[in-house]
Amino acid sequence: MQATISNPAKQLPVPGHFDPKKVGQDPWRVDYNSLAPAARDWAKKHGIKPSATDKTRIALMIIDAQNTFCLQGFELFVGGRSGTGAIDDNRRFCEFVYHNLGVISTIACTLDTHQAQQIFHETFWINAKGEHPNAALCPTISLEDIKNGVWKVNPSIAPAIGNSYPALQAHALHYAGELSKAGKFALTVWPYHAMIGGIGHALVSSVEEAVFFHSVARTSKTIFEIKGGNAVTENFSILRPEVLTGPGGVPIAQKNSRFLKVLLDHDIVIIAGQAKSHCVAWTIEDLLTEINAVDPTLARKVYLLEDCTSPVVIPGVVDFTDSANAAFDKFRAAGMHVVRSTDPIESWPDVSL
């Protein structure tokens, strides 16, 4: 399969409002009412047409480009080995959006979305002393830990989740076992992050600015996909939670089949975001699984922006760089393309003018 860009455009200049130095700054207000007319003028100046006229449909998915992951000083900043990973990634991502404004049909933003009482937060668990895990260390809880009573469900949390304590403890055992059987990461206790309604949940301001500019310039509705609100399962991937059933096979969640269809209805799917080792890798893994179930050659329509994503690295604690790179090697071997944002789209493999 080769995608022919029927609406080719030279890489456009970056509009003057974009300031790369602001990408890593604390959240700031996007001036929508000044930006909108500027976007329309930009489209007129450069002959940018509404996305509805595109014969070649290009989707750009940006995964969890939220303050909680992308700004230093926030809860789960993804620094990678460089220490500034997500900031550098988002600068390149914004420039990619502006350079390719004339050919990107749709931008889809995923938003990790949490509340306090969830299975991967410290308040969910206690030990024999009544202590919670130290989330700052991102500890893991294994099936053996639960079986041996190293950690058990916090009894006081059951009413908040709407479940009985015995049922919740049974679910915890089942859940850890399912993760192990599926070869997924062990349950990790994360610091509170991406809390709904909080500033950490919002898109990084520069990314929000670029996405809004695209929406107006191309008369294209931005897609916002929420994930992570289920109290009893992790949800790294936007396409499905980590575990779909509870004890006895009772459904607790479902795949995001609607959004999968949206992605695959496009001719080209481009993926960036955070973190390469977790939400990005698992989303791509699930996308590949669904593609292989339909037509493995569809993998060739997927492009991974390797310079717009970074792995989780906590110096002295954990480094997921190697596992993230191994995952991308797997995706490449399956037919997906690993590309750089600085290269013109028409120069990418399986793309022609």
Side-chain angles (χ1 to χ4, degrees), residues 44-85:
K44 183 177 181 180
K45 177 180 179 180
H46 293 281
I48 299 170
K49 298 179 181 179
S51 64
T53 65
D54 294 348
K55 293 182 180 178
T56 302
R57 302 283 294 160
I58 299 178
L60 172 60
M61 176 167 56
I62 176 71
I63 296 173
D64 300 358
Q66 298 161 269
N67 294 323
T68 200
F69 302 114
C70 298
L71 293 183
Q72 290 172 322
F74 275 75
E75 301 87 359
L76 283 177
F77 174 64
V78 181
R81 286 181 175 171
S82 72
T84 57

Side-chain angles (χ1 to χ4, degrees), residues 300-311:
R300 294 171 62 183
K301 71 159 65 178
V302 180
Y303 295 79
L304 314 180
L305 294 181
E306 66 174 340
D307 59 343
C308 294
T309 183
S310 294

Side-chain angles (χ1 to χ4, degrees), residues 25 56 71 105 152 164 227 300 309 341:
Q25 292 181 3
T56 302
L71 293 183
S105 308
K152 65 178 182 178
S164 70
K227 67 179 177 68
R300 294 171 62 183
T309 183
S341 66

Side-chain angles (χ1 to χ4, degrees), residues 28-32 35 65 93-94 98 109 202-214 222 224:
W28 42 270
R29 184 179 69 86
V30 175
D31 187 354
Y32 310 116
L35 198 61
F93 173 82
C94 291
Y98 292 126
C109 305
L203 288 176
V204 169
S205 298
S206 292
V207 172
E208 180 194 5
E209 181 182 57
V211 168
F212 180 80
F213 192 86
H214 170 272
T222 305
F224 293 94

Side-chain angles (χ1 to χ4, degrees), residues 32-309:
Y32 310 116
N33 293 304
S34 295
L35 198 61
R40 288 191 289 268
D41 290 344
W42 192 258
K44 183 177 181 180
K45 177 180 179 180
H46 293 281
I48 299 170
K49 298 179 181 179
S51 64
T53 65
D54 294 348
K55 293 182 180 178
T56 302
R57 302 283 294 160
I58 299 178
L60 172 60
M61 176 167 56
I62 176 71
I63 296 173
D64 300 358
Q66 298 161 269
N67 294 323
T68 200
F69 302 114
C70 298
L71 293 183
Q72 290 172 322
F74 275 75
E75 301 87 359
L76 283 177
F77 174 64
V78 181
R81 286 181 175 171
S82 72
T84 57
I87 295 172
D88 300 331
D89 297 336
N90 283 334
R91 175 183 54 77
R92 288 185 286 263
F93 173 82
C94 291
E95 292 171 347
F96 178 79
V97 170
Y98 292 126
H99 283 316
N100 296 284
L101 203 70
V103 297
I104 298 170
S105 308
T106 307
I107 296 181
C109 305
T110 76
L111 297 169
D112 209 30
T113 305
H114 303 312
Q115 296 192 44
Q117 291 81 20
Q118 295 196 252
I119 198 168
F120 43 80
H121 283 153
E122 51 90 20
T123 193
F124 196 95
W125 301 95
I126 59 172
N127 61 18
K129 296 180 180 179
E131 300 168 332
H132 301 293
N134 183 355
L137 300 177
C138 298
T140 58
I141 295 178
S142 68
L143 176 60
E144 288 70 27
D145 289 336
I146 301 172
K147 284 182 176 179
N148 295 330
V150 176
W151 294 109
K152 65 178 182 178
V153 175
N154 179 2
S156 67
I157 207 170
I161 294 177
N163 210 334
S164 70
Y165 176 70
L168 208 53
Q169 184 69 17
H171 174 79
L173 281 164
H174 168 80
Y175 183 79
E178 289 297 294
L179 291 179
S180 179
K181 284 194 296 185
K184 294 179 177 289
F185 290 135
L187 171 63
T188 300
V189 178
W190 299 102
Y192 296 110
H193 64 284
M195 302 299 284
I196 188 167
I199 198 168
H201 183 259
L203 288 176
V204 169
S205 298
S206 292
V207 172
E208 180 194 5
E209 181 182 57
V211 168
F212 180 80
F213 192 86
H214 170 272
S215 177
V216 175
R218 299 234 58 207
T219 322
S220 172
K221 182 179 179 181
T222 305
I223 297 171
F224 293 94
E225 286 292 314
I226 302 295
K227 67 179 177 68
N230 192 316
V232 293
T233 177
E234 298 157 286
N235 206 154
F236 295 125
S237 167
I238 189 60
L239 296 178
R240 55 163 289 167
E242 294 300 280
V243 175
L244 295 174
T245 60
V250 177
I252 61 169
Q254 59 186 3
K255 296 180 182 179
N256 192 347
S257 300
R258 174 193 52 77
F259 183 55
L260 173 67
K261 183 177 186 304
V262 169
L263 290 178
L264 294 183
D265 279 348
H266 286 76
D267 301 294
I268 293 174
V269 178
I270 306 170
I271 302 175
Q274 305 306 330
K276 181 180 180 181
S277 52
H278 287 73
C279 295
V280 172
W282 287 118
T283 294
I284 299 168
E285 178 73 31
D286 288 340
L287 177 60
L288 180 59
T289 297
E290 298 298 330
I291 282 174
N292 284 339
V294 178
D295 178 0
T297 65
L298 293 177
R300 294 171 62 183
K301 71 159 65 178
V302 180
Y303 295 79
L304 314 180
L305 294 181
E306 66 174 340
D307 59 343
C308 294
T309 183

